[in-house]
Structure formats: C-alpha cells, structure tokens
Amino acid sequence: MAPTTDHPGEQPAQDPVKLIAIRDTALSVHEILRAVGDDAAGGTALFVGTVRNHDGGADVDELGYSCHPSAEDEMRRIAEKVAADFPVRALAAAHRVGDLRVGDLAVVAAVSCAHRGEAFEACRRLVDEIKHGVPIWKHQRFSDGTEEWVGV
C-alpha cells in the first residue's frame, strides 16, 4: 500500500500538549508515557535525564535545581512550538526542581507521532529547547567540597 497523508492519524492532533510540569517530587516515566499514548501513533520517543555522578572531570555528589516562576509557562510555550513544527499526536514533559541525588530523574519527555523518525526529531528538539530556553538553574556539589551553578 502506498503511503498517504490523507488519514486523520497522519495529521497532527488538535491539542497535542498533554502534560507540562515542573515538580518538586519524584518524576514518573510511566506517567509521561501514558500521557502520550495515542492509537494513531506508530512511534513514541522517550527521553529520561538522570543525575550523573560526574561533570567536567569532577565527581558529583548531588545537585539542586531551582527555577524562575515563569519556567513552566516557558516550557509550555516550547512544547507548543515543537508541536506546531512536527506532526505530533501527543507530547509531555516534566522537570524536577529541588535537591536530587545521583540516579534521580531530572527530566522526562516523550513525543508520539505517526512515524518514528518524526517522534525522534520532535523529542530531541523538545529536550534541547527545554535545556536551553527554560529558566531552570542547576547547583552542583562536588565530592571535593566545591560547587558551581550551571545555567545562571
């Protein structure tokens, strides 16, 4: 059967931004995946960002995220832009604030589209734009007692 874009499932959804959140509680991969479930989606791309134990050659013990009061609104604006630029069926993202330990989930994002390539591209754009455009700041504390702010 020849590919066609005539089917409604090939089109972007009318309201694809399903969940956008900044939380001071643990994030759930399952919640984000449930939010982007769509019978017309043939591909779902998921990104899970975790706190790693090193940065710039130094051992990281823990970190804290803080944000500007406008951060969630900016995250939604970015999500809506990504949904407008790609044929997104559903999109969801959550970012954590507060103190986190190595291994904790810092950000979870997912995008579903009719096809996998579109889902991968849209999810990557979503995560990259959140990282660069949302006023969230990271305060890293290193094993040697030093610390640094990132994104300030």
Side-chain angles (χ1 to χ4, degrees):
M1 181 176 288
T4 178
T5 59
D6 294 341
H7 190 278
E10 295 287 334
Q11 305 304 315
Q14 289 298 318
D15 188 18
V17 179
K18 304 301 183 187
L19 186 152
I20 295 295
I22 294 181
R23 297 191 175 144
D24 61 1
T25 57
L27 303 181
S28 166
V29 170
H30 297 293
E31 177 189 24
I32 299 299
L33 280 174
R34 275 193 309 274
V36 299
D38 187 299
D39 289 344
T44 299
L46 171 70
F47 175 80
V48 179
T50 58
V51 177
R52 64 179 180 263
N53 68 357
H54 67 281
D55 189 40
D59 292 333
V60 172
D61 284 342
E62 61 184 4
L63 56 79
Y65 283 104
S66 58
C67 68
H68 189 272
S70 67
E72 193 168 294
D73 290 339
E74 183 60 19
M75 204 161 136
R76 178 167 297 280
R77 187 195 67 74
I78 289 167
E80 289 169 351
K81 175 75 167 98
V82 169
D85 289 348
F86 294 90
V88 172
R89 299 297 308 167
L91 176 153
H95 202 295
R96 179 90 185 267
V97 293
D99 292 329
L100 285 78
R101 303 218 181 280
V102 171
D104 285 348
L105 303 184
V107 62
V108 181
V111 176
S112 62
C113 296
H115 304 282
R116 71 180 178 278
E118 298 159 340
F120 280 129
E121 290 176 38
C123 191
R124 180 176 185 119
R125 168 94 57 85
L126 175 64
V127 173
D128 287 348
E129 293 293 325
I130 287 171
K131 181 172 176 66
H132 295 293
V134 177
I136 297 175
W137 309 288
K138 179 169 58 173
H139 182 212
Q140 298 187 116
R141 293 178 283 281
F142 299 102
S143 297
D144 65 4
T146 62
E147 55 188 50
E148 78 172 342
W149 282 93
V150 179
V152 178

